[in-house]
Amino acid sequence: MNKIKVLVVDDEVDYLALIQEHIESWGYDVLLAESGKEALAIIKEKKPDIVVLDYLMPNMDGTSVLKEIRKSDKDLFVIMLTAYADINNIKAAQELGVSAFIPKLNIYSPDIQATLMSVLDLLRNKINEGKV
């Protein structure tokens, strides 16, 4: 069985490196994108199973990226990360079928690591069970 591919999208390069290290240590293959445009190209070419998407990015924010994803793939699992969670962000993401919405805090936080790992494992189980 192939490893689950997780695309992580964030304009903060240091954060990408940290989150990549964690997600790979949990047994996933990780693809990286530093912008929404780059993420969309990777999704088209590499077909990740799960996307971990930053909400606030320059030029193309997470909601705009998610809208573009949904035009071609209604079922792709997307986890939205944000340091600026508010009810409007959450509603917009939910309306677009986000799989989970996680506050973007320090990746070293045990709570964030546990939450992200739990969501990734839940989605991996769904993929492995063919529930996609």
Side-chain angles (χ1 to χ4, degrees):
M1 175 173 27
N2 291 335
K3 279 188 179 180
I4 300 294
K5 290 184 287 193
V6 179
L7 170 61
V8 181
V9 186
D10 198 304
D11 61 308
E12 296 177 41
V13 180
D14 292 341
Y15 192 82
L16 275 178
L18 289 173
I19 200 165
Q20 176 184 18
E21 182 181 317
H22 287 290
I23 293 174
E24 284 178 344
S25 76
W26 302 333
Y28 296 90
D29 281 338
V30 178
L31 306 166
L32 302 175
E34 295 177 26
S35 70
K37 185 176 179 182
E38 184 181 0
L40 294 172
I42 290 171
I43 290 167
K44 186 176 183 178
E45 181 183 331
K46 307 264 184 177
K47 309 272 191 254
D49 302 293
I50 301 169
V51 177
V52 178
L53 179 61
D54 186 24
Y55 178 81
L56 188 59
M57 297 183 292
N59 302 319
M60 186 178 215
D61 68 14
T63 302
S64 298
V65 175
L66 186 53
K67 284 178 185 175
E68 289 300 313
I69 290 170
R70 291 299 178 235
K71 287 180 182 178
S72 60
D73 191 335
K74 302 271 189 239
D75 298 319
L76 181 60
F77 290 112
V78 177
I79 300 168
M80 187 80 73
L81 296 176
T82 186
Y84 307 100
D86 69 31
I87 192 68
N88 293 329
N89 298 356
I90 294 169
K91 277 185 164 181
Q94 287 174 331
E95 288 171 5
L96 293 168
V98 74
S99 303
F101 205 97
I102 300 174
K104 180 182 173 184
L105 301 170
N106 184 340
I107 190 59
Y108 293 115
S109 162
D111 292 339
I112 295 304
Q113 286 185 39
T115 300
L116 184 56
M117 185 187 301
S118 295
V119 172
L120 287 171
D121 286 345
L122 175 70
L123 299 180
R124 175 174 38 198
N125 290 339
K126 286 184 178 185
I127 290 166
N128 289 338
E129 292 170 6
K131 294 182 178 179
V132 289

